[in-house]
Amino acid sequence: MNGSRPGEANLEAVLERVTYANEETGYTVARASSARSGADLITIVGPLLGAQVGESLDLTGRWTSHPKYGRQFEVRSYRTVLPATVQGIERYLGSGLIKGIGPKTAEKIVAHFGVETLDVIDADPARLIEVPGLGPKRTKSIAAAWEEQRAIKEVMVFLQSVDVSTSLAVRVYKKYGDASIGVVKNEPYRLANEVWGIGFKTADAVARAVGIPHDSPERVKAALQYTLSEAGDGGHCFLPAPNLIADTVELLGLEAEPVARALDELAEAAEHVIADQVPAGDSTVPARYLAPFYHAERGLAAGLLALLRAEGDRLAAFAAVDWDRAFAWVERRRSASLAPEQAEAVRLALTERVAVLTGGPGCGKSFTVSSIVDLARAKGGKVMLAAPTGRAAKRLSELTGHEATTLHRLLELRPGGDAAYDRDNPLDVDLLVVDESSMLDTILANKLVKAVPPGAHLLLVGDVDQLPSVGAGEVLRDVLAAEAIPRVRLTKIFRQAAESGVVANAHRVNRGQSPVLEGYKDFFHFASEDNEAVADQVVDIVANRIPARFGLDPVRDVQVLTPMHRGGPGAGNLNLKLQEALTPAREGLPERRYGGRVYRVGDKVIQIRNNYSKGAAGVFNGTVGTVTALDPEAQTLAVRTDEDEDVDYEFSELDELVHAYAITVHRSQGSEYPAVVVPVTTSAWTMLQRNLLYTAITRAKRLVVLVGSKKALAVAVRTAGTGKRHTGLAHRLTG
């Protein structure tokens, strides 16, 4: 713990309830009881993330007076202390802190051991078997949970002494166990690479606190890798060396020379960072890649060219087919005929080993894909359909009438990200169709291409005008830019689709024209110039207006898509307001607070990282579900995903889930919802881009509601986008 400062006080109190917590800053407002306050509760404010209701806290800080809320204790730091009274012990044990002990079990244990309870659990847990109703199995699991909690507390106390938030201590402990303190003291930069949720800045703060010099080569190399990793999160496969050096210099506050030297050493070792030259116009760019992106990009280009040039053909029957008869057969089967560009796409997919089909909404991509699949199957071809997300796979299945799966399940990705199907063990498939391929990032696309056997056909289907993938790369755009890869772009909008405001306005926005805001039954705009009022308007539209007018379920059928996470109309604030409106707290129903969020049964949630060890075959970033159960004693929460799978989460894993009443447009890629509500405000200037608005509108099946400023909408339509990502795939496909 840090030493006390002038004017500081200490306060021992029991945390009674949390009234507000900001998950990003850790700032918390809570109510606590202390011996000196009697029956009255004290307001405590400050960095309290990690503290649980029922815990006794030793708080360091100062008393202040707030003009609106009155006297409160402003916390600088805290540590947990074990309670000493029978009531305190019972409350502490029953708070859900120790797995396996709920309020009833806590009451039994304390009734038996009294004030000695915690000493017994600590020193002689085998004695728990004396408590009526506790068998050997429960006794053993409670003892193990207590031991783990104690070890985590030690790590927490140490991490607090170096100013790291307590909520990360559990992750550090789960990763390194008893070696945690050693790793933190001696190799703090490992945390940034190995512990999810800890970035370079946190690891750097730890390194500073444990005395690692600010100009140490270890720090500079960690910062260079962090800068490349951040660029990867921003979609870039590499950074030009001068950009990388400049960004790292700014991050570290050092001179350029030691940073450039450290980069040369990293590139020379060629283990974590790879140097390459990527053509750009008449010159080349000195590209610096993180190793996984370099190998994936090269592997993907080589794999696509190898498939394209393969000698055998697993759909050889189509080389000599009578296309007029084939198209007439499709027309009889589907009661609709193929337009000329659709017919061209069908021919291409069945005669070329790699092909791309792109086009906007209402242009008949689904009918084209269905026709391709019908013909391939009619000739006895083994066809597989896949998409990057569960929702996209479900939609593909509904549209074609054939089973579709997610890419993760198709490839059977395992912990660590390795696939069961690869070059040595390819899929048994003649035609593989991948929908929503604008979502494919370089790493996943490389795994996919490796699993396609020589002679098989790969058809990539997607809308290239949507936002590029969340992960690094812009695979669909780069593949379309490479002349070697055959492609068809569908441009004709079918009459029936053009009558829909959703389809018509999506195409208007994509052409840089303002959407028509009146006269459609499926496209609405609620004007508001007040950014703060927009959030309340969105809640009213979702919770009341849409269900009343269209009969849609506000949780299941309506999705709020926002350009950004932060701010009044951002996903974070909208989720708080929508949860309050749609799944409010109810007396007697359990809930669980984790960081700045409260989880309740009925909540709509989304997974925010790939977790290969969850569910039958992993649960992946972007999977949406509903909380179906919450067990404070077992410390588990159950989610039913949109892939109809039931998945259990430990309470300590809840930072993998965030609420999904409102999500960012980027997170919505590949999904489709009956109704979409989009706040478009001037508070999101940097995010207001045409492809973002276009992507949001095209997520809707039946209804789009835009809320906010006409000025912001006009800016979004006019702004063409952020420009190209740093990738080398198009060059590798032509080279």
Side-chain angles (χ1 to χ4, degrees):
M1 300 297 297
N2 301 325
S4 66
R5 297 171 185 175
E8 276 195 339
N10 280 64
L11 173 70
E12 277 209 14
V14 176
L15 192 62
E16 298 291 343
R17 68 172 182 269
V18 175
T19 52
Y20 169 79
N22 184 313
E23 61 184 282
E24 284 161 15
T25 63
Y27 180 80
T28 304
V29 179
R31 304 280 280 161
S33 57
S34 84
R36 69 171 85 164
S37 68
D40 295 332
L41 293 183
I42 304 161
T43 299
I44 57 175
V45 300
L48 285 161
L49 280 191
Q52 299 290 348
V53 170
E55 282 190 308
S56 297
L57 305 176
D58 182 356
L59 305 159
T60 303
R62 61 196 183 101
W63 288 100
T64 59
S65 186
H66 189 281
K68 187 173 174 185
Y69 302 111
R71 188 168 156 79
Q72 56 189 29
F73 191 79
E74 208 172 275
V75 179
R76 181 169 69 84
S77 61
Y78 78 90
R79 64 187 180 88
T80 54
V81 289
L82 296 178
T85 65
V86 164
Q87 296 91 330
I89 292 168
E90 189 176 312
R91 181 112 201 277
Y92 175 74
L93 283 180
S95 67
L97 261 181
I98 309 299
K99 197 171 180 179
I101 304 183
K104 288 188 177 130
T105 309
E107 197 181 328
K108 284 185 198 168
I109 295 172
V110 176
H112 190 79
F113 294 116
V115 288
E116 292 175 8
T117 298
L118 298 181
D119 293 332
V120 169
I121 299 176
D122 204 31
D124 194 5
R127 283 189 61 198
L128 285 170
I129 202 139
E130 297 171 20
V131 178
L134 279 194
K137 199 174 170 189
R138 290 273 308 281
T139 302
K140 208 170 171 186
S141 75
I142 290 170
W146 176 268
E147 189 54 43
E148 181 177 77
Q149 197 62 31
R150 185 168 61 178
I152 288 170
K153 282 280 184 282
E154 277 179 36
V155 176
M156 277 189 177
V157 168
F158 176 73
L159 284 174
Q160 276 187 318
S161 74
V162 292
D163 284 343
V164 173
S165 85
T166 48
S167 57
L168 293 172
V170 175
R171 288 216 164 269
V172 173
Y173 179 77
K174 286 213 158 164
K175 178 75 184 171
Y176 303 115
D178 295 338
S180 297
I181 291 174
V183 170
V184 170
K185 273 184 175 170
N186 304 317
E187 304 174 90
Y189 291 108
R190 275 180 66 188
L191 302 178
N193 293 326
E194 296 174 1
V195 181
W196 186 74
I198 295 184
F200 172 81
K201 286 176 183 169
T202 305
D204 199 36
V206 175
R208 204 162 47 241
V210 298
I212 289 177
H214 81 292
D215 59 352
S216 82
E218 181 192 0
R219 178 177 187 244
V220 180
K221 286 176 182 175
L224 284 160
Q225 288 176 70
Y226 165 75
T227 304
L228 278 175
S229 173
E230 285 286 284
D233 289 346
H236 300 293
C237 288
F238 69 82
L239 280 181
N243 304 31
L244 173 56
I245 291 166
D247 291 352
T248 309
V249 163
E250 192 179 332
L251 175 70
L252 297 178
L254 291 174
E255 295 294 313
E257 198 271 327
V259 176
R261 192 168 58 241
L263 178 56
D264 287 344
E265 286 172 18
L266 273 172
E268 222 167 279
E271 185 186 352
H272 301 296
V273 175
I274 312 276
D276 197 10
Q277 296 291 328
V278 173
D282 297 333
S283 61
T284 60
V285 172
R288 300 296 177 265
Y289 286 81
L290 281 180
F293 296 138
Y294 174 76
H295 296 305
E297 192 177 88
R298 283 192 66 195
L300 172 56
L304 283 169
L305 293 173
L307 285 179
L308 196 60
R309 297 163 183 166
E311 286 181 11
D313 186 350
R314 294 177 69 139
L315 291 176
F318 288 98
V321 83
D322 180 336
W323 287 106
D324 290 339
R325 282 183 63 192
F327 295 148
W329 178 83
V330 167
E331 190 173 341
R332 285 195 304 278
R333 183 177 169 84
R334 291 272 171 182
S335 304
S337 59
L338 290 154
E341 54 186 21
Q342 290 178 311
E344 171 60 18
V346 171
R347 234 194 318 259
L348 209 63
L350 295 171
T351 56
E352 295 282 0
R353 318 290 195 287
V354 179
V356 183
L357 171 62
T358 188
C363 291
K365 286 198 303 292
S366 301
F367 177 56
T368 308
V369 169
S370 299
S371 305
I372 291 165
V373 171
D374 287 349
L375 282 165
R377 286 230 159 112
K379 291 282 188 188
K382 291 175 185 164
V383 180
M384 289 181 178
L385 303 174
T389 65
R391 277 179 179 251
K394 210 179 244 184
R395 195 183 76 232
L396 182 59
S397 191
E398 286 162 5
L399 292 170
T400 60
H402 299 290
E403 189 191 344
T405 181
T406 63
L407 289 172
H408 294 95
R409 289 183 195 284
L410 177 83
L411 300 173
E412 291 181 21
L413 292 187
R414 296 164 172 171
D418 289 330
Y421 292 96
D422 56 19
R423 200 164 283 122
D424 299 326
N425 180 33
L427 296 161
D428 182 15
V429 65
D430 301 327
L431 169 66
L432 174 58
V433 179
V434 181
D435 198 10
E436 293 290 354
S437 49
S438 62
M439 291 181 71
L440 279 177
D441 60 59
T442 306
I443 301 261
L444 183 57
N446 181 42
K447 290 187 200 326
L448 168 74
V449 167
K450 270 188 194 165
V452 181
H457 290 224
L458 172 64
L459 174 64
L460 299 176
V461 183
D463 183 347
V464 75
D465 295 318
Q466 285 182 26
L467 288 169
S469 57
V470 174
E474 41 188 358
V475 172
L476 186 61
R477 186 163 289 142
D478 283 348
V479 167
L480 282 166
E483 287 176 17
I485 310 287
R487 86 289 306 273
V488 168
R489 182 167 193 147
L490 302 179
T491 54
K492 184 188 169 197
I493 307 167
F494 289 91
R495 187 178 53 79
Q496 195 179 348
E499 289 165 9
S500 147
V502 176
V503 172
N505 279 332
H507 284 279
R508 287 181 70 82
V509 167
N510 199 29
R511 291 193 299 265
Q513 299 167 339
S514 291
V516 174
L517 302 177
E518 286 167 10
Y520 286 114
K521 292 176 183 169
D522 62 350
F523 200 101
F524 299 90
H525 178 248
F526 287 81
S528 173
E529 295 302 324
D530 181 347
N531 289 341
E532 294 313 306
V534 165
D536 292 326
Q537 215 171 347
V538 166
V539 173
D540 180 44
I541 288 164
V542 172
N544 305 313
R545 292 186 180 220
I546 289 177
R549 180 156 174 190
F550 296 95
L552 295 173
D553 181 282
V555 177
R556 191 183 61 241
D557 299 329
V558 185
Q559 185 61 57
V560 177
L561 300 180
T562 170
M564 58 208 282
H565 184 76
R566 292 186 173 85
N573 183 48
L574 281 168
N575 272 317
L576 287 172
K577 287 178 177 280
L578 286 161
Q579 184 192 34
E580 215 38 62
L582 300 172
T583 44
R586 290 199 173 87
E587 193 64 43
L589 283 183
E591 55 179 47
R592 176 67 179 185
R593 178 172 287 280
Y594 190 102
R597 294 184 286 275
V598 178
Y599 296 87
R600 300 182 183 126
V601 172
D603 272 342
K604 186 175 182 177
V605 290
I606 186 167
Q607 173 83 10
I608 59 168
R609 67 178 291 226
N610 289 343
N611 187 330
Y612 297 95
S613 56
K614 284 230 161 295
V619 178
F620 300 97
N621 188 354
T623 301
V624 173
T626 306
V627 177
T628 52
L630 206 155
D631 186 336
E633 190 161 312
Q635 296 198 0
T636 56
L637 173 147
V639 172
R640 178 92 171 161
T641 73
D642 55 9
E643 293 177 47
D644 301 323
E645 184 179 13
D646 293 302
V647 180
D648 286 334
Y649 289 79
E650 304 264 328
F651 282 173
S652 63
E653 298 174 312
L654 290 181
D655 55 355
E656 296 189 14
L657 286 178
V658 298
H659 290 110
Y661 301 101
I663 60 175
T664 60
V665 180
H666 282 86
R667 283 209 172 279
S668 74
Q669 286 172 262
S671 295
E672 201 177 55
Y673 315 93
V676 162
V677 179
V678 189
V680 185
T681 68
T682 51
S683 62
W685 280 130
T686 54
M687 304 298 288
L688 291 177
Q689 287 159 12
R690 190 183 301 159
N691 60 354
L692 186 126
L693 183 60
Y694 173 71
T695 302
I697 293 170
T698 55
R699 300 306 88 213
K701 259 192 280 201
R702 287 174 51 188
L703 174 68
V704 169
V705 182
L706 305 180
V707 187
S709 134
K710 281 194 173 174
K711 183 181 174 188
L713 186 58
V715 169
V717 171
R718 275 202 314 270
T719 309
T722 49
K724 197 162 163 22
R725 293 175 166 190
H726 290 299
T727 71
L729 180 62
H731 136 69
R732 293 181 200 283
L733 285 168
T734 49

